[in-house]
Amino acid sequence: MDAGSLGAGIGAAVAAADTLIQRGDAPDMARLGMLARRLAKSTEPAAANVELSVYDTFTTLNMSTGEVA
């Protein structure tokens, strides 16, 4: 927790650890520190539901060969 709280404060470090754990990510020192600093500066983007189907337009599946182009 110390690595995450350096320069960010203990509250931001706790919030960062909680966020990482809830996401299922490992709260390692690098992730914890980066997220804690972002939360302390209010620069962490809000979580939102993202429509990923728009990325399907970048790939085309050839139905006869199964290749993705």
Side-chain angles (χ1 to χ4, degrees), residues 2-63:
D2 281 342
S5 63
L6 290 177
I10 192 69
V14 170
D18 183 55
T19 299
L20 290 171
I21 292 168
Q22 286 187 22
R23 289 182 187 170
D25 295 332
D28 59 44
M29 288 176 35
R31 289 180 185 177
L32 184 61
M34 180 181 67
L35 185 55
R37 288 187 299 276
R38 286 183 177 176
L39 290 173
K41 293 180 181 179
S42 299
T43 58
E44 175 65 14
N49 291 331
V50 179
E51 179 56 53
L52 298 178
S53 66
V54 297
Y55 293 102
D56 294 339
T57 61
F58 297 117
T59 61
T60 306
L61 178 62
N62 184 328
M63 296 303 284

